[in-house]
Amino acid sequence: LLQCMDDVTSWRDADSAALRQNTTSNNESSKEEKSSRVVIFGATNTPWMIDKAFLRPGRFDQVVHVGLPNLKERESILRVHVSRMKIQHNVGGVVASNHEDCFYSSSSLSSSLSLSSSAVAASRKANVDKICKRMAKECDGFSGADIAALCRASAIRCLREKKNGEKEKKKKNDNINEQLGYICERHFVEARMQDVNRSSNDELVKQISNWRP
């Protein structure tokens, strides 16, 4: 860590030298050199293991405790991840019973193709809202990294289901025209129950919140 801090000082000096070299004849009348300041942030979940020398004034002298996200914050974190995922929409007919609420039947797919994109987008947004609200309650004690892991696990479950579904349809010599590969609420629930648990415990959370430098 000491070596890294020395390197940061070298980077700052090199940056200042480059700044002086670049500001040449363009502004000869006003050669005001901008001061370069480096601010270092560090994060740990075991702050009591940090050497006290690093916590002296002028070093890492400001300590900010960032706790686990609350219900509203978990929902916001979920929205960041879920909004970028391929979430199913419920517009267009009856859902295929053999795939629960995740895939469309052949008949419903043909009708869904004629729907306006705005209706599909509205349905998808409603599903995103539903997933985020439910999983925010289900993920009490989860960190931001835990929530990201849950979203990845849900996507992996969907991909595996898609692969297995395509194989089954090929065996039956059936046309693959269902909407395979769309993530639904069920994938998140199953991933929460079977794949992902919180990475912290109540004792550790309490110990960190009570720690003082």
Side-chain angles (χ1 to χ4, degrees), residues 10-20 36:
S10 301
W11 298 336
R12 181 188 59 194
D13 294 340
D15 184 60
S16 299
L19 181 63
R20 288 193 297 269
S36 156

Side-chain angles (χ1 to χ4, degrees), residues 168-180:
E168 288 297 322
K169 292 186 74 66
K170 286 181 180 179
K171 288 180 182 178
K172 297 177 182 179
N173 294 322
D174 195 3
N175 293 326
I176 306 174
N177 52 7
E178 292 182 351
Q179 277 194 342
L180 300 173

Side-chain angles (χ1 to χ4, degrees), residues 21-76:
Q21 185 176 0
N22 290 333
T23 55
T24 53
S25 58
N26 292 336
N27 293 317
E28 298 237 354
S29 57
S30 58
K31 291 185 178 180
E32 297 182 1
E33 181 182 333
K34 297 181 180 179
S35 62
S36 156
R37 184 181 180 187
V38 177
V39 180
I40 305 175
F41 293 90
T44 179
N45 58 358
T46 55
W48 48 86
M49 296 183 66
I50 301 175
D51 193 311
K52 296 294 184 181
F54 292 112
L55 302 177
R56 292 173 183 168
R59 298 180 181 178
F60 291 100
D61 53 359
Q62 298 295 323
V63 178
V64 179
H65 174 250
V66 180
L68 294 174
N70 57 31
L71 177 64
K72 186 176 180 180
E73 292 167 345
R74 290 196 300 271
E75 184 176 338
S76 298

Side-chain angles (χ1 to χ4, degrees), residues 103-195:
F103 305 129
Y104 293 107
S105 64
S106 302
S107 59
S108 66
L109 179 62
S110 59
S111 61
S112 68
L113 293 176
S114 62
L115 296 170
S116 66
S117 58
S118 59
V120 173
S123 176
R124 180 184 178 277
K125 183 179 183 300
N127 277 341
V128 170
D129 292 340
K130 183 180 178 183
I131 290 171
C132 292
K133 289 181 181 297
R134 175 175 180 179
M135 298 315 299
K137 296 177 181 179
E138 296 284 344
C139 295
D140 184 28
F142 273 44
S143 66
D146 295 334
I147 294 174
L150 174 68
C151 294
R152 288 193 298 270
S154 305
I156 291 172
R157 279 187 167 271
C158 179
L159 290 173
R160 287 175 179 168
E161 200 169 74
K162 174 186 176 183
K163 184 177 180 180
N164 294 334
E166 290 175 347
K167 288 181 179 178
E168 288 297 322
K169 292 186 74 66
K170 286 181 180 179
K171 288 180 182 178
K172 297 177 182 179
N173 294 322
D174 195 3
N175 293 326
I176 306 174
N177 52 7
E178 292 182 351
Q179 277 194 342
L180 300 173
Y182 280 78
I183 305 170
C184 61
E185 184 178 351
R186 174 170 56 81
H187 294 122
F188 283 89
V189 174
E190 291 176 353
R192 171 65 185 92
M193 295 176 61
Q194 302 177 29
D195 300 333

